Amino acid sequence: MATPQVGAGIGIANLPNQRHKIVAKRGANFTLMVCGESGLGKTTFINTLFTTTIKPPKNHKRRFNKSSEKTVEIEIIRAELEEKQFNVKLSVIDTPGFGDYTNNRDSWMPIIDFIDDQHESYMRQEQQPKRQDLIDMRVHCCLYFIRPTGHTLKPLDIEIMKRLGTRVNLIPVIAKADTMTPTDLHKFKRRILEVIAAQDIRCYSSPLESDDEATTQRNMSIMSAMPFSIIGSTEDVITPDGHTTKGRQYSWGVAEVENEDHCDFKKLRQLLIRTHMLDLIHSTEEFHYENYRNTQMETRKIGEARVKTWKEEEEALRKRFTEQVRLEENRFRSWEQQLIAERDRLNKDLEAEHSHIKALEAELEALQAGLSPRRR
Amino acid sequence: MAHRIGRRKNVKKGFQFTLMAVGASGLGRTTFINTLCDADVVPKRECDEPESAHVEEGIKIKPYTVELDEDGVKISLTVVDTPGFGDMIDNEYCFQEILGYLERQYDDILSEESRIKRNPRFRDNRVHALLYFITPTGHSLREIDIELMKRLSPRINVIPVIGKADTFTPVELADFKKRVMEDIEHHNIPIYNFPYDPEEDDEETVEENSELRSLLPFALIGCEEEITVNGRKVRGRQYPWGIVEVDNTQHCDFAKLRFALLSSHLQDLKEITHDYLYENYRTEKLSRSAESLPE
């Protein structure tokens, strides 16, 4: 059956405009998580991205008042952004304490639990009779900040990224990229991608194809820059050619945030805000949330409470004990070797003394032998 | 200079000096060692297979010896590298490994001293200084930094340094240095701070030492390659926005630290190790074994 073509138009083409009006009025709700060790520029990045102080910089005067609890916290910062009368309710989730301690075993648990909890809470609310005013804090995107070591991903990075990738749109970024020369940065990016592939870490990949060539090209250029190298700064600097922009003033030059030769900030900002924000929101709702819902429903009835997966913890415990046993064994082995070396050395000394005594005894005998014939 | 007396007779024989470098990977420790010795002493880290990147290698302790010539003075420098420190998920064991190594060198000296017949060719492997590489977070000391410096300072001269200091703008660097020193004081960490006596020492020494003390923790940048700047060859890092020079004292404290370690304060570090740190260890150890003897 052929689809009837409408003549001059009855106004169906106006539907996107209606939709646009509804969306424009409703505004958007965007939840972004930043995760990584402290001191990697997460707060500065957020403030640079949204060109406003979403989160104030750390107050160092209070660092001696800290309690000695070694916890990873979840910090939620809310802001409302408005541009051309379009509102975005922004929630930024920070994870202070992650990776900061001597022992970071299981430090990813509060973060992973938080993400799961949001899915759980949304699911629960959906099942309520009244579901008009849902509170939706599902994380739409998680930026994981990698330390610019120049080597490769650390075991801690790998552990958490594996778990994040299956639950949320994970975008790895290289923090403080102005520490690295272009060649070092290129090598580092390549190595990170190799590890991500080898370790089966799932990162965010957006749909590349689109209707016009320009958009496809742009999408490809954005995604190929992953992991994104970033420089963050809320301060103004003056570039060599005289104009003012956000950047960092070194003794040897000025690193600019928006200069694409210096870092990938512009690309990341485009991805997060201009071009892919909707995709991030949708894929969270349609993919990650559905995933969670499926796995829960396979094992639970509606209304039943959630049982944590103990398998992961069991595995982690087993690994930890094997590791500890191995370390102890190594320590004992080297201790044993030391004792053996010490014993050998003392034995040698003892032997030396013995042979010395023997020599003296022989001398004594010889002397005595020399004396006795005279006595006869 | 007061501390150079007695140097003349050693100049021919040369000096022996052992230095240990500790810090998380990626802080420029290995590059620093090679830059210090102006040679490829420590091989570049071979990148591990991506498939095994999640495996936690323990800490390794690797000494390397190189012969240097400083203005005609021969120095036999041993640098002990400690790859793997702080790289694991649980780093509690790192401290004991390093401490164990340092104490074993003391034990060797102790048993050698107590021998009836001493070995004239015995090699003194005691470590005279430890450079601890602080991560340039921009905030303050991390738990592992405080823990390590506290645990090791009773056995070795600890000198804190900031690795990859080209992460900081001049203002950030000054703030960070100040906060680190505040932390060190707050936690009572006894680091090597170029001690001087304003009454006993001459003005030159006092000035020299207080200048070095004010630079703590030393901001380091390491680079093994040479690049050409304005026609001259320098050791430096080439960024799209400028060039950082390792030997430029405006850019970092590398040159000053090198001079202190290998010239002006070499003797002082050795003396403190022998007269104070080793003696303390010896007393503690011998009292312990005396106590454990049955009555």
Side-chain angles (χ1 to χ4, degrees):
Chain A
M1 189 176 82
T3 9
Q5 285 288 1
V6 188
I10 52 172
I12 300 177
N14 202 37
L15 200 64
N17 286 347
Q18 294 180 29
R19 187 105 191 107
H20 177 261
K21 275 218 191 95
I22 294 173
V23 172
K25 203 167 126 195
R26 198 196 313 158
N29 170 19
F30 188 58
T31 307
L32 176 67
M33 178 184 265
V34 286
C35 184
E37 293 173 16
S38 88
L40 287 180
K42 300 192 293 294
T43 307
T44 312
F45 171 74
I46 292 293
N47 293 342
T48 315
L49 186 67
F50 296 109
T51 57
T52 181
T53 309
I54 305 267
K55 181 175 178 203
K58 207 175 202 159
N59 181 354
H60 293 115
K61 295 201 180 73
R62 293 175 42 212
R63 70 189 189 273
F64 296 132
N65 309 343
K66 240 191 329 210
S67 63
S68 59
E69 278 172 49
K70 302 179 191 185
T71 51
V72 176
E73 285 161 14
I74 301 286
E75 212 181 300
I76 305 175
I77 305 140
R78 275 181 241 242
E80 271 198 41
L81 305 172
E82 192 201 304
E83 192 182 278
K84 291 197 192 139
Q85 299 190 320
F86 182 67
N87 283 327
V88 171
K89 285 200 174 57
L90 174 72
S91 303
V92 176
I93 319 273
D94 196 358
T95 56
F98 175 74
D100 289 341
Y101 304 111
T102 308
N103 181 358
N104 295 307
R105 181 78 48 199
D106 296 330
S107 53
W108 50 82
M109 295 296 282
I111 302 172
I112 301 299
D113 283 347
F114 177 81
I115 297 175
D116 283 343
D117 282 346
Q118 304 318 305
H119 286 308
E120 175 71 23
S121 154
Y122 192 79
M123 198 171 94
R124 201 81 69 67
Q125 290 178 73
E126 257 197 337
Q127 292 165 6
Q128 299 300 322
K130 260 172 85 169
R131 49 182 194 176
Q132 266 15 19
D133 300 306
L134 294 174
I135 301 176
D136 183 7
M137 277 264 284
R138 289 174 296 180
V139 181
H140 299 125
C141 175
C142 177
L143 296 178
Y144 185 73
F145 284 65
I146 300 170
R147 231 210 266 169
T149 59
H151 296 316
T152 178
L153 288 180
K154 293 188 343 202
L156 181 64
D157 297 332
I158 295 174
E159 286 301 312
I160 192 175
M161 283 173 84
K162 269 192 188 162
R163 292 173 168 83
L164 286 172
T166 53
R167 293 171 161 84
V168 72
N169 293 321
L170 174 66
I171 298 181
V173 299
I174 299 176
K176 297 197 171 177
D178 48 346
T179 317
M180 304 183 76
T181 59
T183 20
D184 289 342
L185 192 58
H186 183 74
K187 269 195 276 187
F188 189 45
K189 278 192 180 187
R190 218 189 39 212
R191 240 179 258 140
I192 291 177
L193 290 172
E194 281 172 14
V195 174
I196 285 178
Q199 297 284 335
D200 258 333
I201 297 172
R202 205 193 313 172
C203 293
Y204 174 67
S205 60
S206 79
L208 295 175
E209 296 303 318
S210 116
D211 290 328
D212 58 292
E213 186 58 32
T215 316
T216 312
Q217 280 296 355
R218 199 185 49 215
N219 285 350
M220 283 178 72
S221 128
I222 290 179
M223 293 315 290
S224 66
M226 190 132 88
F228 298 94
S229 62
I230 51 184
I231 302 173
S233 174
T234 47
E235 264 145 48
D236 285 322
V237 290
I238 303 178
T239 60
D241 52 359
H243 68 275
T244 310
T245 179
K246 296 278 184 250
R248 292 170 59 71
Q249 178 99 52
Y250 291 106
S251 317
W252 46 87
V254 174
E256 300 162 47
V257 171
E258 307 235 0
N259 185 331
E260 300 211 48
D261 292 327
H262 293 185
C263 71
D264 299 325
F265 176 82
K266 249 184 152 169
K267 292 204 173 96
L268 182 59
R269 182 179 56 192
Q270 260 203 304
L271 186 148
L272 282 179
I273 301 179
R274 206 173 281 256
T275 50
H276 288 73
M277 187 186 264
L278 201 59
D279 184 62
L280 288 167
I281 296 174
H282 275 179
S283 59
T284 305
E285 290 171 5
E286 284 159 25
F287 179 63
H288 292 290
Y289 172 65
E290 289 303 314
N291 227 4
Y292 179 82
R293 203 162 165 278
N294 272 343
T295 40
Q296 294 304 313
M297 289 196 160
E298 275 171 12
T299 54
R300 285 158 58 183
K301 300 202 270 274
I302 287 188
E304 198 182 294
R306 171 172 52 151
V307 171
K308 279 224 180 116
T309 43
W310 291 112
K311 268 274 177 76
E312 272 183 36
E313 297 192 24
E314 186 188 333
E315 190 57 45
L317 259 179
R318 190 176 326 139
K319 258 206 278 185
R320 199 192 331 175
F321 282 128
T322 323
E323 183 61 32
Q324 282 194 0
V325 167
R326 186 179 72 93
L327 282 173
E328 290 299 315
E329 274 184 11
N330 280 349
R331 200 144 8 120
F332 276 120
R333 212 164 292 145
S334 65
W335 187 33
E336 189 185 4
Q337 280 176 356
Q338 276 174 47
L339 286 175
I340 293 179
E342 183 75 17
R343 180 193 64 184
D344 286 342
R345 202 203 6 212
L346 289 173
N347 276 348
K348 248 194 253 172
D349 274 358
L350 206 58
E351 266 187 53
E353 293 308 310
H354 267 287
S355 47
H356 188 56
I357 291 175
K358 282 231 178 75
L360 287 174
E361 282 181 0
E363 230 183 279
L364 191 61
E365 270 188 51
L367 279 173
Q368 285 182 339
L371 286 171
S372 26
R374 244 183 272 151
R375 275 210 217 107
R376 283 201 222 111
Chain B
M1 299 196 188
H3 54 252
R4 293 250 184 96
I5 292 174
R7 211 183 141 192
R8 278 253 215 96
K9 76 167 183 209
N10 285 327
V11 169
K12 261 209 191 152
K13 197 167 64 175
F15 294 93
Q16 194 276 323
F17 189 65
T18 308
L19 185 65
M20 182 182 259
V22 177
S25 79
L27 287 181
R29 206 184 58 242
T30 311
T31 312
F32 167 76
I33 295 174
N34 292 342
T35 314
L36 183 76
C37 306
D38 215 355
D40 255 332
V41 175
V42 181
K44 268 275 173 336
R45 169 172 160 174
E46 339 85 38
C47 240
D48 339 296
E49 294 302 305
E51 286 85 22
S52 52
H54 66 291
V55 172
E56 300 174 71
E57 306 267 340
I59 184 177
K60 295 194 198 53
I61 304 199
K62 296 189 169 174
Y64 303 89
T65 306
V66 65
E67 305 294 320
L68 297 179
D69 187 311
E70 290 292 299
D71 285 334
V73 181
K74 291 204 204 311
I75 300 182
S76 171
L77 176 69
T78 304
V79 186
V80 185
D81 195 10
T82 53
F85 174 81
D87 290 340
M88 297 182 287
I89 296 179
D90 182 355
N91 295 298
E92 295 280 352
Y93 292 117
C94 291
F95 312 122
Q96 193 48 45
E97 289 291 316
I98 303 177
L99 201 57
Y101 178 83
L102 296 176
E103 289 182 350
R104 274 198 296 280
Q105 311 315 313
Y106 284 157
D107 285 337
D108 284 350
I109 297 271
L110 196 55
S111 23
E112 183 61 24
E113 275 181 356
S114 356
R115 286 242 220 132
I116 304 167
K117 248 209 267 183
R118 293 196 196 162
N119 181 357
R121 274 195 254 139
F122 177 81
R123 207 190 138 79
D124 181 359
N125 285 324
R126 287 177 295 185
V127 188
H128 304 118
L130 185 143
L131 292 183
Y132 181 68
F133 284 69
I134 299 171
T135 318
T137 58
H139 295 316
S140 52
L141 287 183
R142 293 155 70 221
E143 189 194 33
I144 197 174
D145 301 335
I146 298 169
E147 203 48 47
L148 178 116
M149 289 198 282
K150 257 193 166 157
R151 294 236 216 155
L152 294 184
S153 45
R155 297 281 177 252
I156 188 171
N157 293 311
V158 173
I159 302 177
V161 301
I162 302 171
K164 292 201 172 170
D166 49 349
T167 315
F168 290 132
T169 62
V171 173
E172 288 170 348
L173 183 62
D175 281 344
F176 187 60
K177 280 190 177 188
K178 197 177 84 167
R179 275 195 293 271
V180 167
M181 294 313 284
E182 280 171 9
D183 280 351
I184 287 177
E185 195 177 308
H186 176 88
H187 291 275
N188 281 326
I189 305 173
I191 56 167
Y192 179 75
N193 62 353
F194 303 94
Y196 58 87
D197 190 335
E199 289 170 30
E200 292 235 344
D201 293 328
D202 60 86
E203 226 180 273
E204 224 179 320
T205 312
V206 172
E207 217 183 284
E208 192 188 32
N209 282 350
S210 39
E211 194 207 340
L212 286 170
R213 189 184 286 188
S214 71
L215 286 177
L216 277 171
F218 293 93
L220 296 184
I221 301 170
C223 176
E224 303 162 71
E225 282 108 39
E226 272 192 349
I227 46 182
T228 316
V229 179
N230 293 334
R232 51 190 179 101
K233 273 192 171 272
V234 288
R235 290 191 296 187
R237 292 168 62 73
Q238 175 120 46
Y239 290 109
W241 49 85
I243 297 178
V244 185
E245 295 171 44
V246 172
D247 299 298
N248 183 335
T249 48
Q250 298 289 332
H251 292 181
C252 72
D253 305 325
F254 174 80
K256 296 236 161 93
L257 177 65
R258 185 175 198 279
F259 186 75
L261 284 177
L262 299 180
S263 295
S264 56
H265 288 75
L266 188 145
Q267 269 307 112
D268 196 30
L269 288 164
K270 288 182 75 162
E271 274 167 24
I272 294 183
T273 308
H274 181 74
D275 296 335
Y276 179 64
L277 297 166
Y278 168 64
E279 282 303 310
N280 277 349
Y281 178 72
R282 190 174 172 280
T283 312
E284 280 176 36
K285 182 145 192 220
L286 293 179
S287 333
R288 262 206 312 263
S289 42
E291 280 165 31
S292 59
L293 283 177
E295 289 298 329

